Amino acid sequence: MPHLQLRGLPIGIYAILLALIASMGGFIFGFDTGQISDILLMTDFKRRFANGCSIDTTSFADAGSCTFSNVRSGLIVALLSIGTLIGAVCGAPIADFLGRRNAMSVECVVFVIGVLVQITTFTKWYQFAIGRLIAGLGVGALSAAVPMYQAETAPPQIRGTLTATYQLFITFGILVAYCISIGTRSMNNSGSWRTVVGIGILWALVLGFGIQLMPESPRWSARHGDYPSARAAIAKVRGIPEDHPLVDAEVEEIENSLEAEKRFEAERLQIDQAELANGKSTKLKSRGAIYAWMECFQGFTKNSSRIGYRTLLGMSLQSLQQLTGANYFFYYGATIFQSVGISDSFVTQIILGAVNFFCTFGGLYIMEKYGRRLPLILGGIWQSGWLFVFAAAGTAKNPTENEGIGKLMIVSACMFIWGYAMTWARGIWILIGETFPTRSRAKQGALSTAANWFWNFLLAFFTPFIVSAIDFRYGFVFAACNLLGAVVVWFFLYESAGLSLENVDIMYRDPACHPWTSRQWCPPGYASRRDAEMELHEKAGMTPAQFEEKTQNQDGRSSTGGTTVRDSASVHQQNDIKKAA
């Protein structure tokens, strides 16, 4: 099988393809997010749907005076988020029941239905809004399924990069929506906005059919007892034969993790039955669907599975990603830059979209090189600073009367987007895919993503009202939220870069590990994460000496300074210790 080499380990072409095709779910998300800001300013759209205007009585010359009330514009923008919130919660059982791939195909059909409802609207603004709600059901379910599928299928060495393609495609979708909008805005008919909305069907078709050509998540297959499919998927993603030692090692790790979950479930069931028999428990003990969701909020202490801890952490991080203020610019950017005196706000939107897209490439490197915690902490501080500049400048002087202030606000917005694109935009979606255990990953991921969409709705709907009341001082609120995000990451987030999903679960369960010391944590039986990486390379056919030489060439690390070259016997001794643990 053809494959690439990354850090001395094989990476198959399927690993790249599945990341790109699945990330079309992010493209759909971004395209739907980016289009509405410009559509609200299109002449034909305002003639049809703005307050006090009518397609029959309002000419194109008079359409400039047509405006949307805060309620109407808020609902048109925000009903997508209500749909995505519901879709994210429903996405978990769908992905668990149908499998990750089939779920994504079904969700693409739902999105297409929503698009058709929108483009067949003629004069009723609420039909357009309902169409966005239906499309949101598909977008929300995809936002839960895609990062989970990518994290479960990607090799650990490039999991961060491949999972981050979801965010990259979100930014690409936003940019493409801006570019198409600027190309259609001059149409003196409904094609100006119907073209932008309708072309979304194409992206759904690419994902819906393309994902069926990719392997199913090996962890989903293994959880349903289909180990041959799991083995085949790992081999495809690695680009190596199914009987390769590296495939054996990954399958064994998944199998051991699932067996540990079964033992934990059996022990807990025995305890529950004993408590019920003795009349000591009045809690719901049914193992039905409701209890399965309740499990996501059990375990917060150091000596537990910390499932509840991780659920609240995921929900908090997704909420704080919305509270960074990024969608303040993406949803209402064209309106914002009109208010600072920019003559062509469509062009300014494209500039912001381009900064967002191209800076995301830098984030691909940062998250792999420096892990998850440090970029999120520094990103939160950076974003807070520039939002403070944005808000202070707009508050100090009227930007429509001072060209210098207007330019400063645009620059500060671009610098904010630069930091956001490289840290919080992509880092949170990576963490949602890799923080939770296999057994409850779908449900915890859905709850976390639903929190994102809940705040997305609140911001989309209430922003016009808030801006009317406090104008650019709104930026101070977002600046404070960015600082809060940095604090939450420091005190609660564990460093998961470079670990398999199974070892991430072990790390969160380790009572001796703390978030601020988690970068030094290593799997049981190893002296460091580097030692664990060395063993993996040995299974791929690399000797310890070759591993040392390769890593020294890549990042300047050498066998001196605390890390010694282990011989083959030492490697096998560590294997025995790990198995015993």
Side-chain angles (χ1 to χ4, degrees):
M1 296 184 184
H3 64 261
L4 310 171
Q5 286 286 332
L6 182 66
R7 301 177 187 171
L9 294 172
I11 303 295
I13 191 65
Y14 269 95
I16 311 300
L17 288 176
L18 72 86
L20 296 178
I21 292 176
S23 290
M24 286 303 298
F27 188 93
I28 293 170
F29 174 4
F31 190 80
D32 235 37
T33 297
Q35 65 183 234
I36 194 62
S37 177
D38 290 337
I39 286 176
L40 287 174
L41 298 180
M42 290 182 178
T43 303
D44 184 82
F45 193 82
K46 290 195 292 185
R47 288 176 69 209
R48 292 172 184 269
F49 306 123
N51 296 75
C53 294
S54 170
I55 189 67
D56 298 322
T57 60
T58 306
S59 67
F60 269 84
D62 297 331
S65 60
C66 295
T67 58
F68 288 95
S69 68
N70 289 337
V71 172
R72 186 171 296 190
S73 64
L75 285 174
I76 290 174
V77 173
L79 274 181
L80 174 79
S81 302
I82 290 294
T84 51
L85 192 159
I86 298 171
V89 175
C90 295
I94 293 173
D96 277 344
F97 179 72
L98 297 178
R100 312 321 192 201
R101 294 182 310 159
N102 292 335
M104 284 186 264
S105 295
V106 170
E107 289 149 10
C108 286
V109 173
V110 175
F111 173 77
V112 169
I113 293 173
V115 171
L116 292 176
V117 171
Q118 292 175 72
I119 62 177
T120 55
T121 305
F122 287 91
T123 58
K124 306 300 182 183
W125 69 269
Y126 47 82
Q127 180 183 336
F128 187 87
I130 290 171
R132 280 178 60 80
L133 185 146
I134 297 171
L137 294 173
V139 173
L142 285 171
S143 68
V146 172
M148 177 170 54
Y149 170 73
Q150 291 175 320
E152 289 183 346
T153 311
Q157 294 73 34
I158 57 170
R159 186 178 62 236
T161 298
L162 294 190
T163 306
T165 57
Y166 179 73
Q167 174 61 30
L168 176 65
F169 272 58
I170 291 176
T171 63
F172 188 36
I174 292 173
L175 178 59
V176 170
Y178 290 163
C179 292
I180 294 177
S181 295
I182 201 171
T184 65
R185 63 176 176 167
S186 59
M187 295 183 180
N188 293 328
N189 52 49
S190 63
S192 57
W193 55 272
R194 282 197 172 110
T195 301
V196 181
V197 177
I199 203 170
I201 295 175
L202 175 62
W203 321 134
L205 292 176
V206 172
L207 173 59
F209 287 105
I211 198 64
Q212 293 299 319
L213 303 177
M214 298 297 105
E216 180 55 270
S217 158
R219 288 168 174 83
W220 185 86
S221 297
R223 183 161 184 79
H224 288 77
D226 190 358
Y227 281 95
S229 294
R231 177 177 291 275
I234 293 171
K236 272 189 173 183
V237 169
R238 286 289 190 182
I240 54 181
E242 291 185 29
D243 59 355
H244 193 282
L246 202 55
V247 177
D248 293 337
E250 293 194 32
V251 171
E252 181 183 4
E253 190 170 32
I254 294 172
E255 187 173 10
N256 290 340
S257 176
L258 292 175
E259 288 297 326
E261 287 183 3
K262 290 179 182 178
R263 289 194 299 271
F264 175 77
E265 178 70 16
E267 291 171 0
R268 187 179 56 184
L269 181 59
Q270 289 178 351
I271 295 172
D272 290 348
Q273 290 174 340
E275 290 181 349
L276 284 172
N278 295 329
K280 296 181 179 179
S281 177
T282 58
K283 295 186 298 181
L284 175 65
K285 298 301 177 183
S286 168
R287 288 300 187 262
I290 296 178
Y291 191 84
W293 285 94
M294 290 173 60
E295 285 183 301
C296 295
F297 296 95
Q298 295 179 0
F300 292 90
T301 63
K302 289 184 177 181
N303 295 314
S304 69
S305 62
R306 290 194 175 182
I307 299 296
Y309 176 102
R310 284 181 268 178
T311 300
L312 291 186
L313 176 62
M315 294 177 69
S316 298
L317 291 175
Q318 283 282 33
S319 300
L320 286 165
Q321 189 198 53
Q322 282 298 315
L323 290 168
T324 57
N327 279 346
Y328 169 54
F329 295 103
F330 296 142
Y331 282 146
Y332 295 101
T335 305
I336 292 170
F337 291 115
Q338 271 192 342
S339 68
V340 300
I342 303 300
S343 58
D344 195 340
S345 56
F346 282 69
V347 174
T348 308
Q349 280 286 83
I350 290 180
I351 294 173
L352 277 184
V355 171
N356 188 32
F357 173 62
F358 289 109
C359 287
T360 303
F361 284 99
L364 297 177
Y365 170 79
I366 287 174
M367 285 290 172
E368 288 293 353
K369 178 69 174 179
Y370 300 104
R372 318 299 190 234
R373 282 173 50 84
L374 182 61
L376 290 177
I377 293 171
L378 295 181
I381 296 172
W382 172 274
Q383 291 153 207
S384 177
W386 284 108
L387 282 170
F388 184 86
V389 172
F390 177 88
T395 302
K397 292 185 179 180
N398 187 342
T400 61
E401 300 174 355
N402 189 303
E403 184 179 354
I405 288 293
K407 290 180 179 179
L408 176 60
M409 294 177 71
I410 293 175
V411 170
S412 59
C414 288
M415 297 302 285
F416 162 78
I417 295 295
W418 179 36
Y420 173 78
M422 292 199 292
T423 56
W424 276 80
R426 64 184 301 275
I428 303 305
W429 291 108
I430 294 173
L431 290 165
I432 294 308
E434 66 187 19
T435 301
F436 312 123
T438 301
R439 178 168 56 89
S440 55
R441 181 174 295 118
K443 294 179 178 62
Q444 289 177 280
L447 288 168
S448 300
T449 306
N452 181 298
W453 289 115
F454 173 73
W455 282 99
N456 191 307
F457 165 74
L458 292 180
L459 292 171
F461 182 75
F462 287 107
T463 286
F465 299 96
I466 296 173
V467 170
S468 297
I470 63 175
D471 206 15
F472 295 112
R473 289 189 294 277
Y474 198 16
F476 292 128
V477 177
F478 292 126
C481 290
N482 277 275
L483 286 180
L484 175 62
V487 172
V488 169
V489 170
W490 171 260
F491 283 105
F492 299 104
L493 180 66
Y494 287 68
E495 182 56 73
S496 52
L499 295 173
S500 69
L501 297 182
E502 288 68 32
N503 281 328
V504 171
D505 186 38
I506 294 172
M507 176 178 63
Y508 271 95
R509 294 171 185 264
D510 187 349
C513 184
H514 302 284
W516 47 89
T517 63
S518 58
R519 190 174 183 84
Q520 287 73 46
W521 184 91
C522 60
Y526 296 99
S528 66
R529 292 189 186 187
R530 184 171 164 79
D531 280 355
E533 185 181 0
M534 184 185 292
E535 181 185 328
L536 197 62
H537 280 76
E538 186 191 49
K539 291 178 179 177
M542 181 181 292
T543 66
Q546 290 173 329
F547 171 78
E548 289 294 333
E549 181 180 359
K550 190 171 190 68
T551 54
Q552 182 176 1
N553 291 338
Q554 286 177 341
D555 57 19
R557 292 181 298 181
S558 67
S559 58
T560 61
T563 303
T564 58
V565 179
R566 299 186 302 161
D567 59 23
S568 182
S570 175
V571 171
H572 292 299
Q573 182 180 11
Q574 290 282 6
N575 288 346
D576 294 337
I577 295 173
K578 182 167 74 76
K579 289 177 181 178

